[in-house]
Amino acid sequence: MEYLLEKLRHRIKGAAIYQSPSGTRLYIPYSLDCPYPVTIKVFFEVINARLQLFVRIRSDVYNESWCDREAEQIKGNLNEQLYEILHDCELQCRNIPLHLRLRDNTSPFLSGASQEERDAVRFLCTRKAAALISESRSFRWSAAIGLAGSRRRAGQIRRLFIFLPHADIEPFKEKFFSLWEDLFFPVFLVPIESLSHNIRRYQLLAADADPATMVIIDSCHLFKSPQSVRSRRMEDITDRCNYKLIMTESMIVGNIHDVYMQYNLLSRLILRYYRWEDFARMHIIYGGYGGTQILGYKNLAYLVEKVKPYTYYREIRPESQPDQPVKTICCELTEKQRYYYSRKKNELLTMIEKNELGLYDVFRIFIQLQKIVCGFPLARGCDVQSYDTNKLPLLKEHLEDKSIIFCKFLFEIDLLRMFLGADNCAVIGNRGKGCFTKEKEQFMLEGKKYLISTLYFPDFRLSDIRNFSQILFFSLSFRYADYRRCFTYIEDCGMAGNVPVKRFVTNSGIDRAIVSNLQRKGKLAYELKQSLSDKSELIHFIKSL
């Protein structure tokens, strides 16, 4: 990409190209009028096919805060003055496809890797900026470490920044140092959550980031809103680095529009939207009350076409699916459940007839319907003794020691602890973040018979648990991804095919809809949004529940 700097050199008087340890730079002459001596460097580097301006000021008299403030002011002024020149230079390179401008030719280092990991690392080594999609956390981490090792061996990077959820730091550290060879290479493991509140850590990372820094971001779906502090700080760091890898379990973990922020962390040129408003106008369908609710999406083929050259998707092959069948165990609703269930359905139908129904109301009542069939009546004054469900006797029939039980709602944890005995249960999901390690130890080492967990975070909270007897789903999620994640956990443990899996449902319409959605591997929320556009279809769907 030196031709970009060469074009810019001819447009700025006195500019000169030099080689630095991090790559080729174009220095421009600049002086600062100060009563005391300062050292100032102003230069351009090409980062991911874009010209990036850097201003660095050092002084033995002025403090660091003054230097940083002056540097930001100078950078802003120069970017404003040189905007047309920079745009013109980049425009002349538009005839070269972006995926060719971001192409790399690093030789992969593949010692001890599986064939699937080899294929992933080979693909990633041909891109300076790429995304890795895999449900298996172990696969993502192994491929990322292999890619970083390949770049280190090629001399392309001088430091490595790895951003993960706080709960993943220790498991990743164990995995990393079992595969990483150079113990003296600077590697920084950073909790993603700290970017929101720890400004000092962000400043230190931003100061150290340069084109020779590689950034790896796992669980990149945690960066959603482009206006959030966390997203802006992460984008500022990645803008300074040439080599970037984002990873997540699924292309769409939350909402489709989250793709905007995730791929902007790689390069704004990929989607070619510099403002969130432009992206929203082209791809989001708004409606509902006040026109602010997201009803659907459009022009998705454009997004797929743009991100495909930079994305490696590890497809779950049929032979890698869990061999064990999932046994579905069904029971009747109790009399009390049928009463409250029918009342909630009628409430929803009445709102439709009065044209008072909003998207929020649909989800609220659907969740209440599922809570009812899971054993939680909505009558006032109910306590833990008032839970009512036929699932508990069925659970007792199929229960074994060392069973892992998944449930959706926190109240189900209380229900199960009351039914199974609090002394017999280790619980993950209703306490502070530091408690789940202790609970795992009690399950594995101290003789507790059952481990109860919420559905949403089993991939990292249940890591390192071995030799459990079976997995039981006491309730199910509206999303297939939450359900599938549990099977990925079994595969990562190396226990696929050996663990019985059972799920407990009722004969209610809401459970039938959830199971049907899981069979289609879909997301029930999308189906509900589509039904909102057709009143008769929505009424028919609700009456079938």
Side-chain angles (χ1 to χ4, degrees):
M1 299 300 292
E2 291 186 13
Y3 56 85
L4 263 179
L5 297 177
E6 189 65 34
K7 290 179 180 295
L8 185 60
R9 184 179 69 85
H10 292 293
R11 304 291 298 273
I12 301 177
K13 185 177 180 180
I17 294 178
Y18 294 93
Q19 290 292 332
S20 73
S22 64
T24 306
R25 291 178 176 177
L26 174 70
Y27 285 87
I28 63 176
Y30 198 94
S31 60
L32 196 60
D33 186 15
C34 293
Y36 299 100
V38 296
T39 301
I40 180 170
K41 294 181 180 179
V42 180
F43 59 90
F44 285 92
E45 290 193 56
V46 178
I47 297 181
N48 296 143
R50 293 197 69 192
L51 289 164
Q52 297 281 359
L53 174 64
F54 295 86
V55 180
R56 293 176 181 171
I57 299 177
R58 296 291 179 267
S59 173
D60 295 330
V61 178
Y62 299 103
N63 59 31
E64 183 178 349
S65 176
W66 182 90
C67 293
D68 291 341
R69 188 169 59 252
E70 286 293 316
E72 284 299 317
Q73 184 176 353
I74 293 171
K75 182 178 178 180
N77 292 338
L78 286 176
N79 273 325
E80 186 176 348
Q81 295 172 16
L82 301 175
Y83 171 78
E84 292 186 4
I85 296 177
L86 298 178
H87 180 72
D88 184 55
C89 291
E90 291 180 351
L91 193 62
Q92 295 180 40
C93 302
R94 290 285 175 88
N95 59 331
I96 304 174
L98 179 63
H99 68 273
L100 296 180
R101 286 184 276 162
L102 297 181
R103 186 172 55 188
D104 199 16
N105 57 354
T106 307
S107 299
F109 174 66
L110 303 170
S111 176
S114 67
Q115 185 58 48
E116 283 188 318
E117 291 168 356
R118 290 169 183 266
D119 294 340
V121 173
R122 286 194 183 99
F123 176 89
L124 299 174
C125 281
T126 63
R127 285 16 177 212
K128 293 180 180 179
L132 172 60
I133 312 296
S134 172
E135 292 179 348
S136 171
R137 185 183 69 170
S138 176
F139 177 85
R140 297 196 307 267
W141 289 359
S142 297
I145 295 169
L147 175 64
S150 301
R151 297 205 185 284
R152 179 190 60 81
R153 281 174 165 263
Q156 293 177 320
I157 59 175
R158 292 187 299 165
R159 65 180 62 84
L160 177 62
F161 293 168
I162 304 173
F163 296 86
L164 314 100
H166 183 271
D168 281 359
I169 293 290
E170 289 303 321
F172 182 86
K173 190 182 297 183
E174 182 179 343
K175 178 88 170 180
F176 182 83
F177 288 110
S178 68
L179 300 175
W180 192 258
E181 296 180 351
D182 188 355
L183 299 180
F184 299 99
F185 188 82
V187 178
F188 301 88
L189 300 178
V190 185
I192 289 176
E193 297 88 342
S194 67
L195 289 175
S196 301
H197 56 81
N198 194 332
I199 187 171
R200 183 57 181 165
R201 173 175 288 173
Y202 153 69
Q203 290 173 339
L204 292 174
L205 291 171
D208 287 340
D210 61 21
T213 300
M214 180 175 180
V215 174
I216 296 175
I217 307 172
D218 193 23
S219 299
C220 64
H221 58 270
L222 297 178
F223 297 95
K224 300 175 183 178
S225 170
Q227 285 82 32
S228 71
V229 172
R230 177 191 296 178
S231 297
R232 292 201 307 269
R233 289 177 176 175
M234 189 72 257
E235 194 171 23
D236 181 44
I237 293 172
T238 57
D239 279 348
R240 304 165 188 254
C241 307
N242 250 329
Y243 302 102
K244 290 165 276 193
L245 173 66
I246 61 173
M247 303 186 294
T248 185
E249 62 186 37
S250 172
M251 177 73 76
I252 309 299
V253 175
N255 298 293
I256 292 178
H257 56 262
D258 294 342
V259 169
Y260 171 82
M261 191 63 240
Q262 295 169 29
Y263 280 88
N264 261 20
L265 294 177
L266 295 179
S267 173
R268 294 186 185 90
L269 297 178
I270 292 178
L271 297 180
R272 294 196 177 278
Y273 294 111
Y274 295 94
R275 299 190 310 151
W276 162 254
E277 292 78 11
D278 297 333
F279 175 89
R281 186 172 59 254
M282 290 297 298
H283 298 287
I284 299 178
I285 301 172
Y286 288 101
Y289 182 75
T292 58
Q293 296 175 348
I294 297 177
L295 300 182
Y297 299 92
K298 56 185 178 180
N299 302 326
L300 296 183
Y302 173 86
L303 293 179
V304 173
E305 178 187 356
K306 289 300 181 183
V307 305
K308 187 176 181 179
Y310 314 96
T311 305
Y312 184 88
Y313 175 68
R314 183 207 181 200
E315 185 177 1
I316 303 296
R317 300 171 183 171
E319 60 268 21
S320 69
Q321 294 280 3
D323 298 326
Q324 71 276 15
V326 179
K327 184 176 181 180
T328 302
I329 302 166
C330 187
C331 66
E332 299 280 339
L333 292 177
T334 66
E335 192 68 31
K336 188 185 293 186
Q337 284 177 314
R338 281 196 293 269
Y339 167 74
Y340 286 113
Y341 189 88
S342 176
R343 196 168 78 170
K344 276 295 168 188
K345 276 181 57 177
N346 292 334
E347 178 185 336
L348 192 56
L349 292 170
T350 301
M351 294 177 71
I352 296 176
E353 292 173 359
K354 294 181 178 180
N355 290 323
E356 296 176 351
L357 186 70
L359 186 61
Y360 168 78
D361 298 308
V362 176
F363 288 125
R364 175 178 59 83
I365 294 180
F366 264 63
I367 290 172
Q368 289 175 350
L369 288 173
Q370 191 182 15
K371 289 175 72 174
I372 291 171
V373 303
C374 290
F376 184 68
L378 299 181
R380 294 183 179 178
C382 291
D383 56 18
V384 71
Q385 302 296 331
S386 303
Y387 293 136
D388 187 42
T389 177
N390 288 326
K391 285 185 182 180
L392 292 175
L394 282 177
L395 178 69
K396 191 172 184 179
E397 292 178 16
H398 295 84
L399 203 59
E400 301 175 6
D401 287 356
K402 296 302 177 183
S403 296
I404 294 179
I405 306 173
F406 290 120
C407 54
K408 178 175 180 177
F409 301 107
L410 292 179
F411 80 83
E412 293 177 286
I413 293 179
D414 296 329
L415 170 62
L416 291 168
R417 291 180 77 243
M418 179 195 69
F419 182 74
L420 302 175
D423 294 337
N424 296 324
C425 302
V427 177
I428 296 176
N430 67 338
R431 301 183 183 180
K433 293 183 178 180
C435 294
F436 57 80
T437 301
K438 180 180 178 182
E439 296 289 330
K440 286 193 300 185
E441 291 176 356
Q442 290 178 345
F443 177 68
M444 292 187 295
L445 305 175
E446 299 180 17
K448 290 206 172 184
K449 296 180 180 180
Y450 318 114
L451 181 67
I452 305 172
S453 171
T454 53
L455 274 169
Y456 301 105
F457 304 107
D459 52 346
F460 67 80
R461 291 189 175 183
L462 298 179
S463 60
D464 306 324
I465 295 178
R466 300 290 189 274
N467 301 322
F468 48 89
S469 62
Q470 61 179 344
I471 286 183
L472 307 177
F473 290 91
F474 193 70
S475 58
L476 300 172
S477 172
F478 289 165
R479 300 193 312 167
Y480 172 76
D482 299 327
Y483 181 67
R484 170 63 201 170
R485 191 184 294 119
C486 303
F487 293 110
T488 303
Y489 158 68
I490 298 175
E491 295 168 7
D492 284 347
C493 290
M495 301 180 68
N498 302 320
V499 181
V501 179
K502 304 171 185 177
R503 60 190 180 197
F504 295 84
V505 298
T506 67
N507 63 344
S508 63
I510 186 70
D511 272 347
R512 286 197 303 271
I514 293 173
V515 171
S516 176
N517 174 70
L518 294 180
Q519 292 172 346
R520 294 191 299 272
K521 301 182 180 181
K523 188 175 180 182
L524 196 57
Y526 292 153
E527 298 179 18
L528 292 176
K529 288 180 180 179
Q530 293 173 354
S531 298
L532 282 177
S533 59
D534 188 336
K535 184 176 178 179
S536 60
E537 180 183 346
L538 181 60
I539 292 175
H540 176 73
F541 177 72
I542 292 172
K543 286 183 176 180
S544 69
L545 295 178

